[in-house]
Amino acid sequence: MWEMRRWSYLDLGGGTEDTVLVAGSGRSGTTWVEELLNRNNDFRIMFEPFWGKQVREVRHFSDHQYLAPGNNDSRFVEPAGRILSGHVRNRWIDHQNTAHLPRRRLVKEIRANNWLGWAADHWPHMPVIFIVRHPMAVVSSGKTLGWGDGLDRLLAQPNLLADHLDPDSEGYVRSLTDPWQRAIARWCIENLVPFRTLGPTRATLVLYEVIASHSDDDIDRMLDVVGQKRDERLAEATVRPSRLARAGASPSGSSNPAVRWLSEVDAPQRRQALAVIERLGFGDVYGDEPMPDAGAAHRLWAQAPPRTSSEEVGNSHGG
């Protein structure tokens, strides 16, 4: 009976203007943010709808597909527009949905980093929240789940490399053989792309560790993006671990996942990771401590080129 209730909904939302896209690397806190924003069950939750193994409409997307802003290939625009406008439903996409008559939808996705700038250009009225978490925390968490380093799926995309890595950086990345360093490099690349193609005119940057520490200003800024205000359920939502959190995790206290990696990553691994982080452009933001340099992160975020007027005109595919 409970499972049937998840599929028996009527999506009353309009186009992509009624969709919020929450994106970030896997294990970066996307599910926790989704649950915080949906604390009042306001949204139809669309869970990772761009995983081709589960969603036939995007089976032709490569894993962590790169799409450059300005790409108008209908093979990608049309299915993405259908999904982001709520016209695709299946048991995978809707298995976490509990709203029955939603007027808005929230897409939670961990495979979108490399096309977020592309999506923001095609559907500029869709709010995008981009979540970034310390690379050592992300990679350490993924390692406990048996995830591979994932680097080859990026190195196999020549357009991504040509657009975002100079030859020396590409050669450096290809020279890495240690799985830990390769996974850190994968994090750097898949976060470098949205830092270069989004920026403050296209999306809202959320630093996981900052909101996990209950920074009122940053939480309020995130709520404002989706038209929400603080309410009595917010405090409970910010301390509740997500349904996909590792056992014992909590956004606050001794099991805080923002600091948990400190006990899991030894000193040699940290030095190895920091060398990659520095080489690939995030050394000013992330160091040997759990908290990022928020000022440096937002300065780097602000370096993305602003949307031009020509990009804003006519980009409403699927919405």
Side-chain angles (χ1 to χ4, degrees):
M1 179 63 178
W2 175 252
E3 289 300 313
M4 286 297 295
R5 291 181 63 193
R6 294 185 183 274
W7 329 130
S8 58
Y9 66 87
L10 180 61
D11 187 333
L12 300 176
T16 54
E17 70 278 2
D18 290 328
T19 299
V20 175
L21 175 57
V22 173
S25 299
R27 313 307 299 169
S28 65
T30 53
T31 300
W32 180 59
V33 169
E34 165 222 306
E35 293 172 356
L36 187 154
L37 296 177
N38 196 42
R39 64 195 179 280
N40 295 311
N41 203 31
D42 295 327
F43 295 93
R44 170 194 170 191
I45 297 300
M46 299 180 67
F47 183 84
E48 299 180 9
F50 289 89
W51 191 18
K53 290 183 179 179
Q54 297 286 352
V55 182
R56 62 179 177 83
E57 287 83 357
V58 292
R59 199 158 290 163
H60 59 291
F61 281 50
S62 65
D63 198 10
H64 294 258
Q65 175 79 48
Y66 172 64
L67 294 168
N71 183 324
N72 293 312
D73 190 332
S74 61
R75 295 176 303 151
F76 300 108
V77 175
E78 291 180 5
R82 283 179 49 77
I83 289 171
L84 295 172
S85 297
H87 298 312
V88 175
R89 57 192 293 166
N90 69 23
R91 286 184 173 270
W92 169 255
I93 291 173
D94 293 318
H95 78 269
Q96 292 191 2
N97 177 60
T98 56
H100 302 301
L101 295 172
R103 295 187 178 278
R104 303 183 73 192
R105 58 193 76 88
L106 190 154
V107 173
K108 179 267 187 196
E109 187 54 73
I110 63 170
R111 295 174 179 85
N113 283 23
N114 295 324
W115 51 256
L116 288 175
W118 168 84
D121 280 350
H122 280 288
W123 302 286
H125 301 296
M126 176 179 65
V128 177
I129 296 174
F130 178 57
I131 304 167
V132 186
R133 183 183 178 194
H134 199 298
M136 284 192 253
V138 168
V139 174
S140 178
S141 182
K143 184 179 178 181
T144 66
L145 299 178
W147 290 7
D149 62 64
L151 183 59
D152 286 343
R153 64 195 178 206
L154 303 184
L155 294 178
Q157 300 189 63
N159 289 341
L160 185 158
L161 301 177
D163 288 352
H164 297 288
L165 286 185
D166 60 62
D168 288 344
S169 296
E170 180 182 346
Y172 169 76
V173 171
R174 290 189 183 278
S175 75
L176 298 174
T177 58
D178 178 74
W180 167 254
Q181 285 189 301
R182 283 172 57 86
I184 295 292
R186 182 264 305 161
W187 181 97
C188 289
I189 296 170
E190 73 180 14
N191 284 276
L192 178 66
V193 174
F195 264 83
R196 287 185 170 178
T197 59
L198 282 173
T201 65
R202 291 181 170 97
T204 298
L205 176 66
V206 171
L207 302 174
Y208 171 81
E209 292 83 3
V210 173
I211 61 169
S213 67
H214 311 300
S215 167
D216 288 346
D217 289 345
D218 289 85
I219 291 174
D220 288 343
R221 182 166 53 87
M222 185 174 66
L223 296 178
D224 186 61
V225 170
V226 298
Q228 293 183 350
K229 301 293 184 183
R230 288 178 172 268
D231 56 38
E232 59 185 15
R233 294 184 179 180
L234 180 65
E236 179 184 356
T238 55
V239 299
R240 184 192 308 123
S242 83
R243 66 174 72 88
L244 299 184
R246 293 160 60 188
S250 172
S252 60
S254 60
S255 56
N256 182 353
V259 301
R260 188 174 186 170
W261 64 271
L262 291 172
S263 64
E264 300 173 341
V265 181
D266 61 28
Q269 286 181 308
R270 292 190 201 182
R271 288 193 295 270
Q272 290 176 329
L274 289 173
V276 179
I277 294 166
E278 178 68 32
R279 181 67 177 77
L280 296 180
F282 285 96
D284 289 341
V285 180
Y286 292 104
D288 202 23
E289 298 297 326
M291 291 298 291
D293 184 324
H298 285 283
R299 286 192 295 273
L300 184 62
W301 184 245
Q303 292 177 18
R307 187 192 311 277
T308 65
S309 58
S310 60
E311 288 174 326
E312 293 180 350
V313 176
N315 286 329
S316 57
H317 304 279

